[in-house]
Amino acid sequence: MTTNVYNISDYAQAAHMFNAAEPLPSVSVFGLGYVGAVSTACLAELGVRVYGVDPDARKVEKIASGQSPIVEHELDELLAQGVEEGLISATSDAEQAVLATSVSFVSVGTPTAPDGGCDMTYVRAVGKDIGLALAKKYDFHTIVMRCSIPPGTTLEVLAPEVERWSGKRLGVDFGVCFNPEFLREGVAVADFRDPPKTVIGASDERAAKMLSALYASVDPDPIVTSIAVAEMVKYVDNVWHATKVSFANEVGRLAKPLEIDSHEVMNIFVQDEKLNLSPYYLKPGFAFGGSCLPKEVRAVGWIAENLGVQTPLIDSLLTSNEAQIAAAEEMVLESGAKSVAFLGLTFKPDTNDLRESPFVTLAARLHAQGIEVRVFDPNLSHDDLHPSALAALAKGDAELTAFLKDLPERMIEDGVEAAETADTLVVSHATNHYREICLRRDPKRPVIDLARLWRRPPSDAGYQGVGW
């Protein structure tokens, strides 16, 4: 275990005392998924020379040609601009990238392990890759973890791995940071340019100073703290977001049988910004999903269990989330539908991310009960429906596997056709296009609205909201 201890108060102030006239350090970004691709493009926009690194040849080819591997607003344009200006390149050669840069961002996957914790396979692998490269390098190098990991991982897993394969010492030859990202899919570029906060957990003054210099133009006053605190902040933020979603959904389920408009209740609730913090997420809707919230809730529950600490609210979040999916399932079954069309399948609008989408779970359950399920979602491309990608989403679950293996054949190219051919419409995303489709449908055709399409729901008998 690495036990280096630094006095944060000594270098937190020093982190701001860099020379703004000095050129920005070059950066290698390990992992070209959501966080990595956005970081690559946005750092290049700041004038940073960026090398993207990924073992996936398709991602490398796309980034190198200035194309985004994901659906994300403005990302294609920024990547193309960075490539054209000679600021962005991509490679599968980790050694080349490390030797050419001063800072390495690590944005690799940290999936849920079988025991509910985090699978550290990719973290250890990138630690080895960077360590082997650092063995051939003499300059000080900063490694920045930018993925969700349990507190202690940066210093107790990544750093020892780098030391082992490089033969070098933390704090002497290289520094490490944990720099949580607060990027919302769909508006990630805007969030990078105008972050709600910039948190830097650093092992030493040089690492803090170098990372602060990179972010100076978007946030000249970062929060510099210990690595463990920064790691915990990421989990706490996401678990709080998960808590807000489940809390509002329980209000919706309670209010509906009382014939109380849950949105009117919550509209009043969120006006108290002094005590109730932010209104974000605090509206009844559907279950939470995606690459962060379910995984972070499981991870924090696992950490608490291993520490012998009781966290009943956090432990109940996935149960509450499951109840929301079950409520929607029951609504569809009560409609008597033999065929259902989903308007949207990704876990949220303006993204192609199907990871842990609650809509996929709901669709799979309906399919397992003999209901014909079809899908309209213009965010999904041929690459997203590749058999290997769908198999990874299923994670061996028989129900999901049965549904996802035929997903390409279930896709409908015309949303109006979906509304005209299905017994019941299930609306997953609150978009104007989906509103138009629902307004143009036969009023006798039921709509199960999981997204709150309208501020004031329509009064026709065919419309139902999941919590209003």
Side-chain angles (χ1 to χ4, degrees):
M1 179 184 295
T2 301
T3 57
N4 306 65
V5 178
Y6 301 90
N7 189 334
I8 297 300
S9 62
D10 287 346
Y11 67 80
Q13 185 175 13
H16 304 279
M17 299 172 60
F18 53 85
N19 186 347
E22 295 180 1
L24 292 173
S26 53
V27 172
S28 46
V29 177
F30 283 76
L32 297 176
Y34 264 85
V35 176
V38 172
S39 298
T40 296
C42 292
L43 286 169
E45 186 183 31
L46 300 180
V48 176
R49 178 69 175 93
V50 187
Y51 294 78
V53 187
D54 202 290
D56 188 330
R58 291 180 301 172
K59 291 181 180 177
V60 168
E61 183 180 349
K62 283 205 166 190
I63 294 290
S65 61
Q67 299 177 42
S68 174
I70 59 172
V71 174
E72 188 65 48
H73 184 57
E74 291 191 81
L75 193 53
D76 271 311
E77 295 90 331
L78 283 184
L79 286 170
Q81 176 183 314
V83 170
E84 183 180 348
E85 294 176 353
L87 292 173
I88 293 176
S89 58
T91 181
S92 295
D93 189 333
E95 179 180 299
Q96 175 193 27
V98 172
L99 294 179
T101 59
S102 301
V103 179
S104 291
F105 277 43
V106 177
S107 298
V108 297
T110 53
T112 301
D115 65 359
C118 268
D119 184 341
M120 297 296 177
T121 301
Y122 301 115
V123 173
R124 294 183 188 279
V126 80
K128 177 180 178 180
D129 288 343
I130 294 175
L132 288 171
L134 289 183
K136 301 179 181 181
K137 186 173 183 178
Y138 298 100
D139 295 336
F140 186 86
H141 196 86
T142 300
I143 305 167
V144 182
M145 288 295 287
R146 200 161 161 77
C147 47
S148 300
I149 47 178
T153 301
T154 304
L155 289 176
E156 296 173 14
V157 178
L158 177 73
E161 204 72 25
V162 174
E163 288 183 327
R164 175 188 175 192
W165 294 100
S166 68
K168 302 200 172 184
R169 290 186 297 160
L170 175 63
V172 177
D173 306 298
F174 71 95
V176 293
C177 294
F178 183 79
N179 172 222
E181 48 79 20
F182 306 104
L183 306 175
R184 295 166 295 167
E185 292 185 25
V187 290
V189 171
D191 283 345
F192 188 100
R193 291 169 175 160
D194 184 21
K197 57 182 177 286
T198 300
V199 179
I200 299 173
S203 63
D204 58 84
E205 180 181 332
R206 279 183 291 184
K209 184 176 179 181
M210 190 171 287
L211 193 52
S212 295
L214 279 174
Y215 289 126
S217 61
V218 293
D219 190 345
D221 191 25
I223 301 166
V224 181
T225 185
S226 70
I227 288 176
V229 167
E231 289 170 326
M232 190 69 175
V233 163
K234 175 62 175 174
Y235 271 142
V236 169
D237 270 37
N238 277 338
V239 171
W240 169 233
H241 298 326
T243 302
K244 290 189 289 185
V245 173
S246 293
F247 172 71
N249 285 337
E250 290 184 4
V251 171
R253 294 201 298 274
L254 176 64
K256 185 174 182 179
L258 295 173
E259 299 183 355
I260 296 172
D261 188 332
S262 59
H263 273 247
E264 185 175 352
V265 172
M266 296 308 288
N267 281 338
I268 296 171
F269 177 86
V270 298
Q271 289 182 42
D272 182 356
E273 296 184 15
K274 181 177 180 180
L275 298 178
N276 293 341
L277 302 179
S278 166
Y280 198 75
Y281 285 133
L282 287 175
K283 294 288 180 69
F286 198 48
F288 58 78
S291 62
C292 292
L293 302 192
K295 180 165 69 73
E296 314 305 351
V297 173
R298 284 194 295 266
V300 170
W302 175 82
I303 293 168
E305 181 180 359
N306 278 271
L307 292 173
V309 176
Q310 293 188 357
T311 53
L313 174 61
I314 294 173
D315 293 343
S316 72
L317 292 179
L318 293 176
T319 301
S320 178
N321 211 46
E322 163 58 30
Q324 199 72 358
I325 298 174
E329 180 184 0
E330 184 64 23
M331 290 168 66
V332 174
L333 295 177
E334 288 180 351
S335 75
K338 295 183 179 180
S339 64
V340 172
F342 275 70
L343 300 183
L345 194 65
T346 58
F347 94 95
K348 63 183 289 189
D350 298 322
T351 177
N352 62 334
D353 198 347
L354 288 169
R355 288 175 294 177
E356 299 211 40
S357 168
F359 309 110
V360 172
T361 300
L362 174 60
R365 290 182 185 179
L366 297 174
H367 170 259
Q369 297 186 62
I371 295 175
E372 179 186 355
V373 178
R374 304 189 74 190
V375 176
F376 172 70
D377 194 328
N379 283 319
L380 293 175
S381 68
H382 177 75
D383 284 348
D384 301 316
L385 304 176
H386 190 275
S388 61
L390 296 179
L393 290 172
K395 296 181 179 179
D397 182 279
E399 201 169 73
L400 286 175
T401 298
F403 172 71
L404 289 171
K405 70 182 179 66
D406 296 323
L407 182 56
E409 288 73 41
R410 302 181 193 283
M411 300 301 295
I412 306 174
E413 294 186 2
D414 186 347
V416 174
E417 177 190 345
E420 292 175 347
T421 57
D423 295 335
T424 296
L425 287 177
V426 175
V427 184
S428 306
H429 305 151
T431 71
N432 287 332
H433 186 37
Y434 294 166
R435 290 186 185 97
E436 292 172 6
I437 291 172
C438 290
L439 289 174
R440 292 172 60 182
R441 84 188 199 286
D442 182 342
K444 297 179 182 178
R445 180 165 286 113
V447 169
I448 309 298
D449 181 3
L450 307 180
R452 186 79 174 204
L453 287 173
W454 294 279
R455 184 169 175 267
R456 294 191 176 278
S459 57
D460 69 78
Y463 173 89
Q464 278 199 79
V466 69
W468 52 88

